Amino acid sequence: MKAAYLHIPFCEHICYYCDFNKVFLKGQPVDDYITALDREMKLTLEEAPAAELETIFVGGGTPTSLNERQLERFCDSINTNLPKAANLEFTFEANPGDLSKEKLQILRNAGVNRISLGVQTFNDELLTKIGRVHKAKDVYQTIDKIKSLGFENISIDLIYSLPTQTLGDFKASLSEAFSLELPHYSAYSLIIEPKTVFYNLLKKGKLPTPGEDLEARMYEVVMEEMEKHGLNQYEISNFAKPGYESRHNLTYWENEYYFGFGAGAHSYVNGYRRSNIGPLKKYIDSLNNGELPILDNHQVTLTEQMEEEMFLGLRKTSGVQISKFAQKYGRGPFEIFEKELNELLLKKWIEVSGDNIFLTKQGRLLGNEVFQMFLGVFD
């Protein structure tokens, strides 16, 4: 076990595209939730003891929506319960504008060494349209604060293919992002998920999205500009200077085990993919009763493991290592997925070089179609 994810579901506002497990902060049992998280960590580690964790990632929701006392208590709970390696990567997600120096100092004192900031765009009008409450100026002020407290490993998220967004506007946002000179950037295309404000608007025909062709061009621009600025594309949507790749997210893409703590969190532990109860009261009640808040516990079959190894591994630009796959499963990927891989080679969506199978540039543009080919192969 290398990694742990902890979920803080509280938000001071709800973004129109977000489908994560989250609730408005006001009036919520935040202290009870932190207590329940503490219990979940204890019970889980009793059930599945782990060696030192190499990565801890706190996401949400908005983890930094906790007040200073709650944040300090939560960080103490993490440090008390989770065994940590000396070279730990410890990430906290945050939003521009809601990070005080006091909160940052609490994170710094707790050993947090990586901050991931949800920026999305530098266009103030677009920020309002997608339900964000920060402005572009807040990004610069927040980054200055983060750097002033000694944090060097900083990442920002950008979203493209937003409603009414033009290519020129997106290029301007990229330019603003590069002016920050950060070691890591993530850039995702907008995905409209059910149970979101955007989904309801789309169904009513009231969401003017740029369309597939412009979305593909925006992704090409992302890849071109990141390369120009010395940022290596190590995964479909992630770019970093050498040594600043997200080790936590690589755990997922390399199909390795990880803990997931919190309401609605997911785990992959000892061959089982587990999801937690989502509603806060039910999650807290379960732990108050001394029970783990498990909603579903699925034993991953050998065929499912192999399928996941392919579609997760191909997200990385280094791709799937043939010898590692064979060592794990007793047979190489071409023995198991001969038809699928040969079809992808013929379409020039993948390439084989040495010991690696990886997506071509065209394959990256059509990533979801590639990954779909490895789902349900053995059904």
Side-chain angles (χ1 to χ4, degrees), residues 90-323:
F90 191 171
T91 304
F92 249 76
E93 284 185 339
N95 286 331
D98 72 0
L99 262 182
S100 65
K101 278 204 169 183
E102 290 74 18
K103 286 185 183 181
L104 278 164
Q105 191 62 62
I106 289 166
L107 297 182
R108 191 84 177 137
N109 294 345
V112 174
N113 53 20
R114 186 173 184 271
I115 301 290
S116 178
L117 211 58
V119 171
Q120 320 317 0
T121 175
F122 284 83
N123 180 317
D124 285 349
E125 189 181 333
L126 266 181
L127 284 167
T128 302
K129 282 183 182 176
I130 65 175
R132 304 291 283 179
V133 295
H134 76 266
K135 302 296 182 191
K137 65 179 175 55
D138 297 320
V139 178
Y140 294 101
Q141 290 168 0
T142 303
I143 292 288
D144 284 346
K145 265 190 257 181
I146 294 168
K147 287 181 175 178
S148 74
L149 274 120
F151 290 95
E152 295 176 3
N153 197 348
I154 305 166
S155 175
I156 65 169
D157 289 352
L158 298 170
I159 302 179
Y160 57 92
S161 194
L162 294 169
T164 71
Q165 188 175 38
T166 64
L167 184 61
D169 172 78
F170 180 56
K171 284 181 175 178
S173 263
L174 277 176
S175 179
E176 297 278 350
F178 293 134
S179 75
L180 296 168
E181 298 183 340
L182 301 177
H184 190 284
Y185 295 86
S186 300
Y188 305 98
S189 66
L190 176 68
I191 298 172
I192 299 163
E193 302 282 7
K195 298 180 182 176
T196 62
V197 173
F198 274 176
Y199 182 77
N200 294 331
L201 288 172
L202 186 69
K203 283 204 301 183
K204 293 174 185 174
K206 295 181 178 178
L207 193 71
T209 54
E212 287 183 7
D213 290 345
L214 184 51
E215 179 182 326
R217 180 60 194 135
M218 287 176 175
Y219 183 45
E220 287 177 327
V221 167
V222 168
M223 292 190 284
E224 291 161 8
E225 290 299 315
M226 292 287 178
E227 188 176 357
K228 276 185 200 171
H229 287 83
L231 294 142
N232 173 50
Q233 183 175 18
Y234 68 99
E235 189 268 347
I236 279 191
S237 303
N238 285 273
F239 308 81
K241 292 179 181 174
Y244 286 92
E245 298 82 2
S246 169
R247 286 160 46 207
H248 182 83
N249 286 338
L250 282 165
T251 302
Y252 302 147
W253 302 320
E254 289 168 1
N255 204 22
E256 295 178 352
Y257 293 155
Y258 57 91
F259 291 120
F261 301 109
H266 292 254
S267 305
Y268 186 26
V269 180
N270 299 332
Y272 285 82
R273 286 203 183 271
R274 174 187 289 180
S275 59
N276 276 355
I277 294 166
L280 258 63
K281 186 177 186 307
K282 289 184 178 179
Y283 169 83
I284 292 167
D285 286 348
S286 177
L287 284 152
N288 283 346
N289 293 329
E291 298 170 359
L292 283 169
I294 300 166
L295 177 67
D296 184 59
N297 201 26
H298 170 69
Q299 185 170 12
V300 184
T301 65
L302 180 63
T303 54
E304 286 171 335
Q305 287 175 47
M306 292 188 291
E307 289 172 358
E308 290 172 359
E309 195 82 18
M310 292 305 297
F311 69 74
L312 289 170
L314 284 171
R315 291 192 65 89
K316 300 178 296 174
T317 50
S318 61
V320 173
Q321 194 176 348
I322 297 167
S323 59

Side-chain angles (χ1 to χ4, degrees), residues 23-40:
V23 292
F24 279 113
L25 176 66
K26 191 174 180 181
Q28 295 296 337
V30 180
D31 289 299
D32 291 345
Y33 183 77
I34 294 169
T35 299
L37 263 173
D38 184 82
R39 286 181 183 145
E40 188 190 359

